[in-house]
Amino acid sequence: MAKEVKPENPMLEFVNVKIPADPVLKKEPIQVGINGKTYFVPRGTECSIPKPVAEVIANSFAQQEAADDFLDSLAQD
């Protein structure tokens, strides 16, 4: 008989992150929503958050940087 394999819950795997304070938003937390649950991640302090939440934040920062680079390239034309 085959052994039943249960998928691991990625929300149970935690990582430590420290998001720098924003000069405009100061220490306003970053709000992340995943599957109907909202997480508030503080700025300027190290905290432990679920890995998928950290991935959403990392993707958001990467997209913002790409958008900023694109806008800079348009301004140079």
Side-chain angles (χ1 to χ4, degrees):
M1 183 170 232
K3 184 178 178 182
E4 182 179 334
V5 177
K6 291 186 178 181
E8 292 184 30
N9 183 350
M11 296 305 279
L12 298 178
E13 185 179 346
F14 286 78
V15 295
N16 289 333
V17 297
K18 182 176 180 182
I19 299 168
D22 184 282
V24 175
L25 299 173
K26 306 291 183 209
K27 289 197 171 207
E28 287 293 317
I30 292 178
Q31 183 177 347
V32 178
I34 297 180
N35 294 333
K37 186 164 183 171
T38 303
Y39 298 85
F40 292 93
V41 183
R43 295 176 189 264
T45 58
E46 187 170 328
C47 63
S48 183
I49 60 175
K51 188 174 181 179
V53 175
E55 290 172 358
V56 167
I57 293 170
N59 290 339
S60 174
F61 278 110
Q63 288 295 314
Q64 183 63 53
E65 186 173 337
D68 291 343
D69 290 346
F70 178 71
L71 291 175
D72 288 344
S73 71
L74 291 178
Q76 293 175 2
D77 289 342

